[in-house]
Every structure is written in structure tokens, then in C-alpha cells.
């Protein structure tokens, strides 16, 4: 059994792992049997005359059963690694008690210590149960189409390009794109979105989604073992192998404490024996060994961190390490990328200008008819705004300027204000540009008839989130490679006063470093050009839905959704976890400080110290498990999650 006091990470989560009831779990059954033997022995000794020998046998059985859970590991650690662990303190204490004839006390110590270890392991298992449940969202098999017929294959055999048949009620085995069919998907278990999402051909769908209505055919964009859910699980598993800063502090306190306690016990035994009864002072030295055991200190932080990280993963926040979790709780300043973080990273038509006698629909339709033949990044936004656009002929595009064509016998031009003069619309065009829009001018027969303003709009929740964070005292800075005019306009709408624009990737990293000089800072971004800044910050947070591989790898925290309201929720959760960690450290040290003088002066005997110490340890574990609770009033996470297929094709964002 893993020593809870050593806090060694458990084995990686396996898909086949199943819950084992306690009555079939050897790690629980042996300590429980030890306790039953101890209890029966005490009852016989107290209430049954002439049952002393039977009681003694039961005490020995209790001692051996309990000791089997920690003595082998303690001795192995001592002889193979020279490790003076807490289990060694307990081994020495139990051995000394036996040599002094305190079989009952030795049995009680062995039972209480072994049951505490078992409870710690179960606490860790409970904390990780939410993480294991992520894997349960992936079905074990999938139905694929092969040359017109269907067959069922293990999910591990799925590869990109396979076409999956998804009937109503089925759960999707991997990420993909819908090729045929319309339906609604329940994605609540993945992204927290409470309302089913309507999907049709061309829509990207995520592993773990449940098809609620019609049949779908989905082309896999990721393998069965390398998709959005397995990516999340892999990141969560990584969190279990790295301890937080405070966990390392606890370890640093525990490591010198163990040899220190051994020296103190020897000092008590030797000095006391010089001035009093050696038997009394040797017994007190053994009690000191137990009283000063830092087991509660060593386990208190890891239990809290694992509980909190597991809880965060349930509401869409994947924290890569315990160290990241603890740093997240101390953040006071946030640096946010603009495109794809504060904005949707999906340019849309925001405004259409016209001259007298020309309708908005005409201007938008003419522009869309030509842009349908263009490869310009803004073309998709304009064509999406006018799906019933007329047909254009003789289309000719001039790179960097615009595009011309003939619609119903009339020549139409669409281009930049630097190529086509806005004419009477010049004042309105300048206003749109001051609001951060990119404007294209529309000409009909060589005369300006309108203009279309396109902008990457703010996410609807952005102003609310910025206001909330500002009210709570967080500093907010926007970092972007965009031009100053666009950056200032969007920052004003968002409520951000500290704006740094026209930044290259290295400039963003330097800006974060400058902010970090004032206190702990978190960088939130999603693009390749955000990666240096994410790595530079005390905490890098990647927006998961559209983020690039570089951003995800450089970040300490990843959002599986793209709703900015995850930011305050994650900060509150980490701050609460940090408070619980501080409570556990103080409580663990207080236990040692209080018990030591009571043990040295003989106020508490061996059995009493063992009982008080282990009960206090259980209290510390229970307190740490409180970190698994999350606020139920937070708003749902928007749809979107880490998709390896999306990440592979994600380009750099400004």
C-alpha cells in the first residue's frame, strides 16, 4: 500500500479501473480486522475473567495485521534509500512499546496508524473519482461504415477518416465532423452547456457528446485514444504527478522533522534516565516519537490539491499541476489576449452603410456576390451575412486592393477605402474604423453606393467578466498585436483601461514580465503567438476551444470551454483551495506543538497520544476534501472543448 504520509502519486488512471467495495479491499480489510481484534481483546480483558491469554493473542494479531501495512515499506525505505520516513517512527514506537511490555498500546498504535493510511488512500481515490469519470464518457466500441455496411469496432481502433454511424441515444467515441444528418447533441457532461446543441452537416462535434434525436454520420478527425476527452484526462493525470509549492513546503518541514524527532526522543530518554527512572523516561521518549509524527502535515496539502484539481476539471478547468493550482490562488493581475480570448475570433458584419436610394440588402448582396469568389479572410464574414446573394460574373480580384465583377449587367467593385474612395460616406467610414471595424467600400458603375463594416466582436460575457474582476481588485491588461485604433475601441467596450497594442510575440512576453514585477500575474490566450507570454507568466491559461497546440503546451491551466466566466470561477476555486491548504498546514503544526510537551511531561500516555494524533489526522483529511466542493451558482460553461483535431489545424491568432 502506498504510504499516505509519503504522498507518493498513484498509478496512472486506467480505463479498466473499477470501484472495489471496502469489504473486498485488502488495504481496508486488514486495518479493520486489526481494529476488531483489538476491540475484542479489550472486551475480553475488561469483562471476562481468566481470558488474559486469549486477549493477549488478539492483541498480537491486531499488532501484526496493522503493522503489516506500514512496517515493510518503512524498512525498505530505510535500507534501500536511507529514508527516515514517518512509518519508521511508528515502527520504532511500536517495537519499543512491545519491548516495554505495552502490547495493547503497540496494537492500538499499529491499528490507528494503518487505518489512517487506509482512509488517506480512500480519500485520494474519492478525490480522483471525478477525473476517472471523464474516461467513462468515451464508449468502449463504435459503429463505423465500411463500403456501405456497418460494423462494430473497439474505440481504440478508430482512426481519422473513419465514418461513424451515431444513432439516437448513442455517445460519440471521438471528435469528428458531421457528414450527414441533423440532430441535437447533449454536451453537458463535457462543456457544462445545459441546452442541447443543434448540429448538421459540416459542424464539428466532440467525443463524449450524446446524440439525442436523429441519426448522424460523423467523419472522425481524431483517433479513439487521442481526442478532446483523452487530452483533458492526460492533462489531469499530469496534475497528480507534480506537487504544489506548499506541498513541497510541507515536505521540507517533514523531512528534517523526522530525524529531529528521533534526536529529541533519544535526548529525552538519556537526560531523563540520568535524573529519574529510566523505564519512565524511555517510555516517554517513545510517546514523543508518536506525538511529533508529521504525518498529518505531509498528507494535508496533497489531499487538498488533488481534491481541488479534480473538482475544477468537472466545471471545465484543467489544471496541469499542484504548483499551478497554488499559484492560481495567489494571482492579482490578469493579462488577456484580444483575438480569440476577449473576442469570438470569428469576424462578422457589424454595420452596413448606404447612400440614398440604395438598400442595405442591395449593398450587402453585391458585396457578398463578389466576395464569394475571394480568398480574403473577411470574405467569409460578408458571404455569411448574405446567403441569398446574386450571382456575379467576370470576377477579377486584385490582391491587397479589392475585387470587381458584373452583376445583372452592372459593374460592381468591392475594396479597401485605400483603393476605393468612400466619397460622401467618408465621415461615417472613419467613425466605423474608429470603432475598430475593417471597412470595405462598394461601388456600382464607378460610384460609391455603400460600405460594409466587419469586426471580430467581443464575446457577450466579456464586459460582465471584466467588471466583476475589476470590482474584486484584479488588475486587467489587454495585450494584442492588433493596431492601436482597433485595440482601443474594443478595450473601451470591454471596460479595460490598460491596453498594449501592436505587440509581437516577444513583446507580449516582455509585457507579462514587466507586469510580474508588480505581483503574481496570469496570462490568458489561445494563439501560437501567445505561447511565449503564457510561459513567462506565473500562470498561463489557454482558452481550450480554439487554442493552438503551442498555447496549450505552454499554459499551466486550460479551459475546456470558451466562456470567459470560467476565469472568475477558476480564481475563486483556487483561492478557496489555497485557504484550505493554509488551514491544514497550521492545524498540522499545531497538533505537533500541543502534543509534544504533553508527551514529554507524561500528561498523555502512548495510547492517548496515538488516538489524539490519528483522530486529528483524519480531521485534516476531511478538511482537505472540502476543496472538492464547487460553487453551484456559477453560470454554465459555453460549448467548446480541447479538440486535438482543431488544435492541429489552428493557425496563429493576432
Amino acid at each position: 500500500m502506498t504510504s499516505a504520509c509519503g504522498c507518493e502519486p498513484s498509478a496512472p488512471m486506467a480505463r479498466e479501473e473499477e470501484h472495489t467495495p471496502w469489504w473486498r479491499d485488502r488495504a481496508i480489510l486488514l486495518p479493520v480486522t486489526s481494529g476488531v481484534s483489538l476491540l475484542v481483546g479489550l472486551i475480553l480483558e475488561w469483562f471476562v475473567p481468566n481470558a488474559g491469554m486469549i486477549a493477549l493473542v488478539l492483541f498480537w494479531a491486531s499488532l501484526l495485521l496493522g503493522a503489516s501495512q506500514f512496517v515493510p515499506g518503512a524498512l525498505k525505505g530505510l535500507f534501500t534509500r536511507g529514508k527516515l520516513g514517518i512509518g519508521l517512527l511508528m515502527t520504532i514506537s511500536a517495537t519499543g512499546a512491545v519491548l516495554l511490555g505495552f502490547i495493547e498500546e503497540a496494537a492500538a498504535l499499529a491499528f490507528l496508524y494503518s487505518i489512517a493510511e487506509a482512509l488517506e488512500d480512500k480519500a485520494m481515490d474519492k478525490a480522483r473519482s471525478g477525473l476517472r469519470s471523464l474516461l467513462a464518457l468515451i464508449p468502449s466500441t463504435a459503429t463505423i461504415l465500411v463500403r456501405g455496411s456497418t460494423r462494430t469496432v473497439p474505440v481504440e481502433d478508430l482512426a481519422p477518416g473513419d465514418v461513424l454511424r451515431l444513432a439516437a441515444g448513442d455517445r460519440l467515441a471521438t471528435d469528428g465532423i458531421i457528414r450527414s444528418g441533423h440532430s441535437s447533441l447533449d454536451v453537458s457532461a463535457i462543456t457544462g452547456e445545459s441546452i442541447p446543441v443543434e448540429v448538421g452537416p459540416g459542424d464539428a462535434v466532440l467525443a463524449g457528446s450524446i446524440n439525442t434525436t436523429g441519426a448522424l454520420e460523423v467523419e472522425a478527425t481524431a483517433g479513439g485514444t487521442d481526442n478532446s476527452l483523452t487530452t483533458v484526462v492526460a492533462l489531469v493525470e499530469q496534475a497528480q504527478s507534480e506537487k504544489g509549492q506548499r506541498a513541497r513546503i510541507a515536505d521540507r518541514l517533514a523531512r528534517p522533522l523526522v530525524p529531529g524527532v528521533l534526536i529529541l526522543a533519544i535526548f529525552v530518554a538519556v537526560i531523563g534516565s540520568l535524573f529519574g527512572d529510566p523505564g519512565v523516561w524511555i517510555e516517554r521518549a517513545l510517546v514523543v516519537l508518536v506525538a511529533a509524527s508529521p504525518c498529518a502535515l505531509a498528507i494535508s496539502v496533497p489531499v487538498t490539491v488533488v481534491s481541488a484539481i479534480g473538482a475544477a476539471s468537472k466545471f471545465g478547468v484543467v489544471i496541469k499541476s499542484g504548483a499551478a493550482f497554488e499559484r492560481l490562488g495567489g494571482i492579482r493581475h490578469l493579462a488577456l489576449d484580444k483575438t480569440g480570448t476577449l473576442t469570438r475570433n470569428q469576424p462578422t458584419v457589424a454595420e452596413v452603410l448606404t447612400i440614398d436610394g440604395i438598400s442595405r440588402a442591395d449593398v450587402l448582396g453585391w458585396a457578398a456576390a463578389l466576395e464569394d469568389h475571394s480568398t480574403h479572410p473577411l470574405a467569409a464574414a460578408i458571404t455569411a451575412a448574405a446567403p441569398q446573394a446574386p450571382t456575379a460574373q467576370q470576377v477579377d480580384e486584385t490582391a491587397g486592393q479589392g475585387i470587381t465583377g458584373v452583376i445583372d449587367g452592372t459593374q460592381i467593385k468591392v475594396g479597401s477605402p485605400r483603393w476605393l474612395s468612400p466619397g460622401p460616406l467618408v465621415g461615417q467610414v472613419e467613425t466605423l474604423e474608429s470603432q475598430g471595424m475593417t471597412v470595405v467600400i462598394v461601388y456600382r458603375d464607378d460610384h460609391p453606393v455603400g460600405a460594409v463594416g466587419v469586426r471580430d466582436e467581443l464575446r457577450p460575457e466579456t464586459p460582465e467578466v471584466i467588471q466583476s474582476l475589476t470590482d474584486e481588485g484584479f488588475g486587467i491588461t489587454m495585450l494584442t498585436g492588433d493596431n492601436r485604433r482597433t485595440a482601443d475601441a474594443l478595450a473601451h467596450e470591454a471596460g479595460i483601461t490598460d491596453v498594449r497594442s501592436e505587440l509581437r510575440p516577444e513583446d507580449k512576453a516582455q509585457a507579462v514580465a514587466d507586469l510580474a514585477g508588480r505581483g503574481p500575474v496570469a496570462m490568458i490566450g489561445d494563439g501560437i503567438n501567445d505561447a511565449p507570454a503564457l510561459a513567462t507568466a506565473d500562470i498561463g491559461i489557454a482558452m481550450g476551444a480554439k487554442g493552438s497546440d503551442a498555447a496549450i503546451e505552454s499554459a499551466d491551466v486550460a479551459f475546456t470551454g470558451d466562456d470567459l466566466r470560467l476565469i472568475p470561477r477558476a480564481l475563486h476555486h483556487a483561492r478557496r483551495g489555497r485557504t484550505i491548504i493554509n488551514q491544514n498546514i497550521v492545524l498540522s503544526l499545531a497538533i505537533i506543538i500541543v502534543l509534544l510537551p504533553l508527551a514529554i511531561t507524561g500528561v498523555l500516555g502512548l495510547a492517548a497520544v496515538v488516538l489524539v494524533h490519528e483522530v486529528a489526522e483524519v480531521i485534516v483529511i476531511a478538511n482537505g476534501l472540502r476543496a472538492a466542493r464547487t460553487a453551484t451558482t456559477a453560470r454554465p460553461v459555453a460549448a467548446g472543448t480541447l479538440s486535438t483535431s482543431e488544435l492541429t489545424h489552428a493557425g496563429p491568432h493576432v
Side-chain angles (χ1 to χ4, degrees):
M1 186 182 76
T2 300
S3 173
C5 292
C7 308
E8 296 175 4
S10 65
M13 293 182 295
R15 186 186 185 96
E16 300 80 7
E17 184 175 4
E18 298 179 356
H19 173 69
T20 302
W22 70 268
W23 60 86
R24 296 173 56 188
D25 188 344
R26 182 177 181 275
I28 289 290
L29 196 57
L30 287 179
V32 168
T33 305
S34 172
V36 171
S37 297
L38 176 63
L39 179 61
V40 173
L42 290 173
I43 292 174
L44 290 176
E45 184 180 56
W46 293 340
F47 301 108
V48 179
N50 303 319
M53 184 57 65
I54 299 177
L56 182 62
V57 171
L58 290 172
F59 291 149
W60 272 104
S62 173
L63 172 60
L64 295 175
L65 287 170
S68 68
Q69 298 299 91
F70 61 89
V71 171
L75 295 178
K76 181 179 179 181
L78 175 64
F79 293 116
T80 61
R81 302 191 302 272
K83 179 181 177 182
L84 298 176
I86 298 163
L88 181 62
L89 281 183
M90 297 304 171
T91 301
I92 296 173
S93 299
T95 302
V98 170
L99 294 176
L100 293 174
F102 296 104
I103 306 300
E104 295 174 33
E105 285 78 0
L109 184 150
F111 158 64
L112 290 171
Y113 183 65
S114 62
I115 197 66
E117 277 206 316
L119 290 175
E120 290 154 18
D121 283 349
K122 285 299 177 184
M124 289 291 196
D125 288 343
K126 180 180 179 181
R128 296 185 182 106
S129 62
L131 312 185
R132 288 194 297 266
S133 67
L134 290 173
L135 284 176
L137 296 178
I138 304 176
S140 58
T141 61
T143 301
I144 64 172
L145 292 172
V146 181
R147 292 186 291 275
S149 61
T150 62
R151 64 187 179 94
T152 301
V153 299
V155 68
E156 293 82 3
D157 294 342
L158 289 178
D162 287 343
V163 177
L164 286 68
R165 170 70 60 84
L166 202 65
D170 287 351
R171 192 184 290 272
L172 186 59
T174 189
D175 303 328
I177 295 177
I178 296 176
R179 292 309 179 202
S180 67
H182 292 80
S183 184
S184 296
L185 294 184
D186 179 358
V187 295
S188 58
I190 307 165
T191 66
E193 181 70 26
S194 58
I195 301 174
V197 179
E198 299 292 332
V199 295
D203 289 335
V205 287
L206 306 168
S209 302
I210 300 175
N211 183 22
T212 61
T213 52
L216 297 173
E217 291 185 5
V218 180
E219 180 180 341
T221 56
T225 57
D226 182 25
N227 53 54
S228 54
L229 275 181
T230 57
T231 299
V232 170
V233 172
L235 292 176
V236 174
E237 286 178 334
Q238 182 180 342
Q240 298 178 355
S241 64
E242 183 179 337
K243 296 182 181 179
Q245 180 63 30
R246 276 182 174 72
R248 289 193 290 271
I249 290 174
D251 287 344
R252 286 200 295 268
L253 289 172
R255 278 196 296 266
L257 191 57
V258 172
V261 167
L262 290 173
I263 294 172
L264 176 61
I266 293 173
F267 181 81
V268 169
V270 173
I271 301 300
S273 298
L274 294 177
F275 299 96
D277 184 355
V280 171
W281 285 101
I282 291 175
E283 179 183 345
R284 290 186 184 179
L286 294 173
V287 177
V288 166
L289 288 177
V290 179
S293 169
C295 191
L297 176 65
I299 67 157
S300 59
V301 176
V303 168
T304 306
V305 168
V306 172
S307 299
I309 289 177
S313 71
K314 294 179 182 178
F315 64 82
V317 177
V318 180
I319 304 173
K320 291 186 179 181
S321 70
F325 174 75
E326 295 190 43
R327 292 197 303 273
L328 184 62
I331 292 300
R332 298 306 309 160
H333 198 103
L334 298 168
L336 298 102
D337 171 51
K338 180 184 74 66
T339 306
T341 301
L342 294 173
T343 67
R344 299 175 182 270
N345 192 29
Q346 185 177 359
T348 56
V349 172
E351 187 64 72
V352 178
L353 304 176
T354 65
I355 64 171
D356 292 340
I358 303 296
S359 71
R360 182 181 186 277
D362 283 340
V363 170
L364 198 54
W366 292 334
L370 266 63
E371 295 288 6
D372 190 45
H373 299 267
S374 173
T375 58
H376 191 278
L378 297 183
I382 296 174
T383 56
Q388 305 300 322
T391 301
Q393 299 173 336
Q394 302 176 31
V395 178
D396 181 40
E397 183 173 11
T398 303
Q401 294 182 328
I403 189 169
T404 62
V406 176
I407 300 176
D408 296 330
T410 302
Q411 186 182 57
I412 303 295
K413 295 181 181 179
V414 177
S416 160
R418 263 57 65 189
W419 183 47
L420 299 175
S421 172
L425 299 174
V426 62
Q428 293 172 279
V429 167
E430 290 177 352
T431 299
L432 295 186
E433 289 183 329
S434 69
Q435 295 173 355
M437 298 186 198
T438 299
V439 181
V440 295
I441 308 299
V442 180
Y443 267 52
R444 184 172 183 264
D445 287 334
D446 295 324
H447 297 288
V449 294
V452 180
V454 179
R455 185 171 71 173
D456 183 12
E457 296 287 356
L458 289 174
R459 298 180 187 275
E461 73 276 10
T462 295
E464 169 195 348
V465 170
I466 297 302
Q467 184 63 52
S468 172
L469 292 170
T470 301
D471 291 344
E472 293 179 28
F474 289 96
I476 306 292
T477 299
M478 187 175 86
L479 306 178
T480 180
D482 230 339
N483 63 78
R484 179 175 297 278
R485 182 180 58 200
T486 299
D488 288 344
L490 286 172
H492 178 73
E493 287 188 30
I496 300 174
T497 56
D498 185 8
V499 183
R500 308 188 187 190
S501 55
E502 301 178 1
L503 301 177
R504 296 171 299 176
E506 58 270 29
D507 298 329
K508 287 187 177 183
Q510 184 58 51
V512 169
D514 294 341
L515 292 172
R518 309 175 193 172
V521 60
M523 170 67 190
I524 305 173
D526 74 325
I528 292 175
N529 66 338
D530 296 324
L534 290 168
T536 302
D538 294 283
I539 286 292
I541 301 176
M543 297 293 288
K546 302 285 186 182
S548 68
D549 282 323
I552 298 295
E553 291 299 323
S554 301
D556 304 290
V557 178
F559 290 166
T560 63
D562 55 8
D563 192 322
L564 285 179
R565 285 171 291 202
L566 280 173
I567 297 174
R569 187 171 185 185
L571 292 171
H572 295 160
H573 182 66
R575 187 175 295 176
R576 179 173 179 270
R578 186 175 171 126
T579 298
I580 293 174
I581 288 172
N582 288 335
Q583 292 171 352
N584 276 347
I585 288 178
V586 171
L587 181 57
S588 301
L589 292 175
I591 292 169
I592 296 173
I593 293 172
V594 170
L595 287 183
L596 267 180
L598 296 178
I600 293 174
T601 58
V603 174
L604 294 180
L606 182 61
V609 166
V610 170
L611 180 61
V612 171
H613 191 81
E614 301 301 345
V615 168
E617 183 180 335
V618 172
I619 293 173
V620 165
I621 296 171
N623 188 47
L625 287 177
R626 291 195 303 116
R629 293 208 305 264
T630 60
T632 57
T633 56
R635 304 186 182 189
V637 180
T641 191
L642 292 172
S643 169
T644 52
S645 59
E646 288 178 337
L647 296 183
T648 301
H649 297 91
H653 305 304
V654 176

